[in-house]
Amino acid sequence: MTGFLPVDALDTPRFCGLPTFMRLPQAQAGDSLDAAIIGLPSDSGAPYRTGARFGPGAIRAMSVMLRPINPYRDHINVFERLRIADAGDASVVPGYLEESLERLEASLSSLVDQGIVPVSLGGDHSVSLPAICAVAKRHGPVSLVHFDAHSDTWRSYFAGKQYSAGTPFRRAAEEKGLDPFSSIQIGMRGSLFRADDVSQSVDLGFEVLTTDETLDMGPTETARRIAERVGDRPVYITFDLDFVDPSNAPGVQTPEAGGPTSRETLALLRALKPMNIVGCDVVEANPLYDGPGQITALLGATVALELLGLIAVGREAGANG
Ligand code: MN
Ligand code: MN
């Protein structure tokens, strides 16, 4: 299987060429792909810092640093296991959240309908709702694995509005896009607006692991809890970069002090067991607030590559049928 490999950085320098993810080929109509990178450049759902519309571009720019072999998963080359291309960005209507979410769902559905696993780059966290709805139309309600400092299960945000970066997983549960009783949230921490900001997820049916619980348990036990929770059901993984401590990931909408380091974060992702991933995303990268060296965008790209590796090993474990 060839034809969908990143440009070889030993042959063509990293600063040359088109800025697709890892300089993968651009997806063409009729390509028979296993997975596709797609940018979801909407920040119309951001209650605080806007700028995540520039997240996909920032992540792609730093993804040139990544190399194809994964030493944490038996040295697989994910691009020899899966046919992956960059499908570009979905279109949005800036400032009009509901219209943007409709456009995102249409773009994602066109991938999912071809049997392609979408690996999305946000965008603020509101973009996960159309992504979950798109995969649920094909696979039924998914099990959500949600890395975030915040639960994002609020009833509404500002004037009773239903859609925002703070509400996608309550909406997804209500719209039968996900099954909270086989879903898990990891990383909740920090001060709250109301006493039930975290327990509201438990009330919906989610299992919740706080940052403290996760760091106390360590990556192996956390990964075991996640695997036990989702079983062999179709899984959607969403990764909000504010899961990570702001010292390691400053370029986000809503930074939350006291989080895992990038090393602890990657150790957890590398400990995850093969699962039946039908979609995933890395969201809330905001280059307008990133540190010198674009460290948040680099971490976002690294997380996306780890998720691609996890998709590959999940397929080989037979989880994806
Ligand atoms: Mn979030
Ligand atoms: Mn968050």
Side-chain angles (χ1 to χ4, degrees):
M1 188 173 72
T2 55
F4 290 92
L5 298 174
V7 171
D8 184 353
L10 295 174
D11 186 49
T12 306
R14 290 188 165 109
F15 45 83
C16 300
L18 292 171
T20 58
F21 185 80
M22 288 183 75
R23 297 188 295 171
L24 282 164
Q26 287 181 266
Q28 307 293 331
D31 282 348
S32 174
L33 299 174
D34 297 306
I37 303 289
I38 181 169
L40 307 180
S42 170
D43 53 20
S44 297
Y48 190 47
R49 293 168 170 171
T50 53
R53 67 182 64 180
F54 302 113
I59 290 175
R60 287 189 177 102
M62 289 310 287
S63 73
V64 299
M65 294 310 302
L66 302 172
R67 304 171 188 86
I69 308 290
N70 188 331
Y72 306 93
R73 295 200 183 270
D74 291 333
H75 290 84
I76 63 165
N77 179 335
V78 65
F79 305 101
E80 290 175 349
R81 307 292 180 102
L82 301 177
R83 293 161 67 91
I84 305 169
D86 190 324
D89 292 335
S91 182
V92 298
V93 188
Y96 294 85
L97 178 56
E98 290 184 46
E99 290 85 345
S100 294
L101 297 181
E102 284 170 17
R103 286 194 177 192
L104 296 181
E105 185 172 340
S107 293
L108 289 154
S109 292
S110 74
L111 295 176
V112 172
D113 291 347
Q114 298 172 66
I116 300 170
V117 175
V119 178
S120 303
L121 309 176
D124 71 54
H125 220 155
S126 65
V127 304
S128 295
L129 177 61
I132 290 169
C133 290
V135 296
K137 274 188 291 184
R138 184 179 177 96
H139 301 281
V142 296
S143 299
L144 183 73
V145 178
H146 174 199
F147 298 92
D148 200 325
H150 313 101
S151 67
D152 295 353
T153 51
W154 292 4
R155 284 169 186 81
S156 62
Y157 213 138
F158 299 128
K161 296 297 183 193
Q162 298 288 293
Y163 300 101
S164 98
T167 62
F169 305 114
R170 180 179 293 269
R171 292 292 94 77
E174 290 169 350
E175 296 176 20
K176 305 284 184 266
L178 64 80
D179 166 30
F181 295 95
S182 62
S183 296
I184 184 165
Q185 300 184 303
I186 307 107
M188 277 74 244
R189 67 177 182 272
S191 51
L192 307 172
F193 283 126
R194 290 172 294 256
D196 68 348
D197 278 0
V198 174
S199 63
Q200 66 188 3
S201 289
V202 177
D203 294 342
L204 279 169
F206 290 93
E207 182 174 348
V208 176
L209 298 177
T210 65
T211 285
D212 289 340
E213 288 168 334
T214 301
L215 290 177
D216 287 349
M217 266 191 280
T220 305
E221 176 63 11
T222 303
R224 192 193 65 75
R225 291 277 289 269
I226 293 169
E228 188 176 80
R229 183 71 171 169
V230 305
D232 58 4
R233 299 177 191 88
V235 170
Y236 189 93
I237 298 183
T238 183
F239 190 95
D240 183 331
L241 282 158
D242 70 32
F243 173 82
V244 184
D245 191 83
S247 62
N248 284 198
V252 296
Q253 185 200 163
T254 47
E256 201 65 60
T261 63
S262 54
R263 181 177 184 274
E264 288 163 334
T265 300
L266 292 171
L268 173 55
L269 294 177
R270 288 163 180 161
L272 293 178
K273 298 180 192 307
M275 54 183 102
N276 178 11
I277 298 172
V278 296
C280 59
D281 64 48
V282 182
V283 299
E284 295 286 4
N286 187 335
L288 306 186
Y289 294 88
D290 207 351
Q294 297 81 50
I295 55 176
T296 312
L298 173 62
L299 181 59
T302 308
V303 169
L305 181 59
E306 288 298 330
L307 294 177
L308 287 171
L310 190 57
I311 293 169
V313 297
R315 290 227 167 171
E316 261 149 55
N320 287 5

